[in-house]
Amino acid sequence: MEKGHEISDLLIQQQKIWDNEYRTKGRLWGKVPFEPTAGSNKGFFLDLGCGDGKNLRRGETGTLRIGLDFSMHALRLCRKNPDLCDVTCLCADVRHLPIKNNAIQSIDAHHILGHLLSPDRYLCSNEINRILSPGGEVLITVFGSEDLRYGHGYEVEPGTFMKGTGIITHYFSSDEINKIFLDMDQVSLEPCSWIMKVKGNEYVRSTWVVSYKKENTY
């Protein structure tokens, strides 16, 4: 099988796996604490890869919320949440966003880039840059290479591992993240680590929380 076909097949597989996860398990992130969110720019706020809507909390007055995910079952869970009744839900591919240029003022992208293969991470970052308005901000969260799960599972490509569920996860260094967003200005980059106890043993969870701003050309 040619390489391009292998990648295409894997992406289709990932969508089916996530859709099945939400279909069979319901709200996957209901007990997980809120992630940080992008700046409070007025206008359109996009939660990229919104899942069951955990981070689609109410914004400031004048903010219009959009939740986007490639799992229709995840979006159905959003629709069942009365707190999200005013949210616009889009079922779409993060590599090809059905949104006009410069249309979005704030974007959250929590643990989305890490579930993409290397070429697709660049496609996604290009789409983020395209739809973000000048002066707009995007907040990225990804797992770091110090995380306890790094190296576990089948290595699909360098630093990217497939778990038993079939879900792929990439674990980033800070340099890797910045290479993906060369066309934007980094506002902040913060490591975030905490200890997780499993059967009496302590393990480190590790993430990077990175904020970028699109250059204001006006």
Side-chain angles (χ1 to χ4, degrees), residues 10-20 70-71 91:
L10 181 58
L11 292 173
I12 293 171
Q13 178 192 43
Q14 291 298 297
Q15 182 177 19
K16 290 180 178 178
I17 290 170
W18 279 107
D19 213 35
N20 187 61
F70 68 176
S71 168
C91 189

Side-chain angles (χ1 to χ4, degrees), residues 93-111:
D93 183 337
V94 295
R95 303 167 304 156
H96 308 287
L97 296 172
I99 298 172
K100 292 182 179 180
N101 296 352
N102 306 317
I104 305 295
Q105 283 67 51
S106 301
I107 299 174
D108 282 358
H110 296 303
H111 299 295

Side-chain angles (χ1 to χ4, degrees), residues 42-44 97-107 126-137 184 214-218:
K42 304 294 184 182
F44 288 101
L97 296 172
I99 298 172
K100 292 182 179 180
N101 296 352
N102 306 317
I104 305 295
Q105 283 67 51
S106 301
I107 299 174
N126 288 340
E127 283 292 86
I128 288 173
N129 190 37
R130 179 184 66 79
I131 69 172
L132 199 61
S133 65
E137 295 183 31
M184 301 181 73
K214 184 172 180 177
E215 181 179 356
N216 195 332
T217 56
Y218 295 154

